Amino acid sequence: MRFLHLSDLHLGRRLGELSLIEDQRFILAQIIRLVREEHPDAILIAGDVYDKSIPSTEAVIMFDGFLNELSELGVPTLIISGNHDSAERLSFASKLIAKSGVHIASVYDGTLFPITLSDGETDVNFYLLPFIKPSNVKRFYPDADITSYTDALRCAIQNADIDYSALNVLVTHQFVTGAQRSESEEISVGGADNCDASVFDGFDYVALGHIHRAQIAGAPHVRYCGTPLKYSFSEASHNKTFTMVELTGKGELHIKEYPIKSLREIREIRGTYDEIAARSYYADTGLRDELLHITLTDEDDVPDAIGRLRTIYRYLLKLDYDNARTRSEAEITPMQDLEEKSPLELVCDLFRLQNDREMTAEQKRYCAELFDRMKEEA
């Protein structure tokens, strides 16, 4: 059996102030094309369908259209909620929708039952376990020793009637210890939401959601497929792919990754203001319509740099500096001789602490003239 493993669509997400709805619509269209070309037997969406528990109307309409297209293609689609979703809202009318081949996991109620699919040769049991916390499981198993996410998952799985001689796939949304995170993910203090990969022993494949970088998590059959889009500048170097899984028997697992084309790429560039603003630079690099994080290396701040650069790079979303001042770790501490120094000397001291260099003669002259005018107006 072949199935497409997806997760973390985060429909409705914004990058800074920019809506990514068109970028997401572009990705969903690619998924539909891939399904038409490759004819998978099922599609798994491992949580974080939406970016917020109360998604925007635009995001809901887009996902509704996407599911309708998948249903028309006759491909069973299995969906769970992630930590960004509202399990109650996502699973609304799930029993009715299931008649169209779209199976959405309900709110965790202490039970875990399989949805069995067949490709005519192989039967596979799919267990849908939405994002859960220890308190969610403790509610149904009050006598169980549950003090961690690992305990909670182990309890939920052990209390399911699973025939491990059959082919079994678990779809869940958790952070497996050791997985590499990105800035765009929610992080619990001290890694309290970690779970050990050993809780998934016995499954033939574990389709994980939650982590935005595609990766193996503890064992070859336990995998994150990653997000289909880059949702932070920390993901700029990631190569996003669609993960197709083929499961033909016990221990017979094959993974194929398909590259994803983005409507607009996320990129990070650095240089002086003059270099980056030069017409030859943006003409040669083709960055005019990309989503940009620009780091300026000028020693002095450029007035309204972000506004001026946005006239060239329309999707400049973040701008910062890397220079002696920003690299300095100097701390500004109270001075013992404040009363003995002139205002100009104090400003020079502050400038030196902030920028790790002395003021120029022109800057000193400007400050001196400013203080003189202030005295005259006092």
Side-chain angles (χ1 to χ4, degrees), residues 65-280:
F66 175 63
L67 291 182
N68 186 60
E69 287 191 78
L70 291 178
S71 177
E72 289 179 349
L73 291 173
V75 184
T77 303
L78 286 63
I79 306 168
I80 64 168
S81 57
N83 57 304
H84 279 254
D85 299 309
S86 164
E88 294 82 0
R89 291 185 177 90
L90 187 63
S91 62
F92 171 75
S94 58
K95 293 181 180 178
L96 179 63
I97 295 171
K99 297 176 182 179
S100 298
V102 177
H103 305 272
I104 304 176
S106 60
V107 178
Y108 180 71
D109 61 0
T111 60
L112 189 59
F113 296 110
I115 295 171
T116 303
L117 300 178
S118 177
D119 63 357
E121 296 180 1
T122 306
D123 292 341
V124 179
N125 301 318
F126 292 88
Y127 291 85
L128 307 184
L129 181 60
F131 175 74
I132 55 173
K133 298 179 179 180
S135 58
N136 302 138
V137 183
K138 188 73 172 177
R139 174 186 173 190
F140 299 101
Y141 301 99
D143 297 328
D145 183 16
I146 300 175
T147 59
S148 67
Y149 277 74
T150 299
D151 295 337
L153 284 162
R154 181 173 287 115
C155 180
I157 292 169
Q158 287 179 345
N159 281 280
D161 186 16
I162 300 174
D163 176 8
Y164 286 105
S165 67
L167 291 176
N168 300 299
V169 172
L170 177 68
V171 186
T172 192
H173 189 94
Q174 301 290 160
F175 174 45
V176 176
T177 305
Q180 293 180 300
R181 289 183 137 159
S182 305
E183 289 178 0
S184 50
E185 298 150 14
E186 291 186 358
I187 298 175
S188 296
V189 177
D193 57 347
N194 291 9
C195 71
D196 193 274
S198 63
V199 301
F200 305 127
D201 289 349
F203 284 98
D204 298 283
Y205 185 78
V206 180
L208 291 169
H210 191 37
I211 301 300
H212 291 188
R213 181 193 289 269
Q215 58 193 283
I216 292 171
H221 69 289
V222 182
R223 300 177 67 97
Y224 289 102
C225 63
T227 56
L229 269 179
K230 300 174 183 179
Y231 286 127
S232 71
F233 287 105
S234 68
E235 300 174 53
S237 63
H238 293 191
N239 293 317
K240 298 297 184 179
T241 58
F242 295 125
T243 301
M244 189 75 75
V245 182
E246 184 173 9
L247 187 60
T248 56
K250 286 290 184 181
E252 299 175 11
L253 180 67
H254 306 280
I255 307 294
K256 184 175 181 179
E257 295 180 329
Y258 296 81
I260 299 174
K261 178 178 173 55
S262 297
L263 180 64
R264 297 173 291 193
E265 271 293 340
I266 283 182
R267 301 193 189 279
E268 294 184 299
I269 60 175
R270 57 185 290 120
T272 67
Y273 175 84
D274 289 340
E275 290 171 346
I276 292 175
R279 181 176 296 275
S280 60

Side-chain angles (χ1 to χ4, degrees), residues 348-363:
C348 288
D349 289 342
L350 179 62
F351 185 91
R352 183 172 57 255
L353 286 169
Q354 286 185 320
N355 300 279
D356 197 30
R357 62 187 177 88
E358 299 293 338
M359 294 178 72
T360 65
E362 184 180 357
Q363 289 170 326

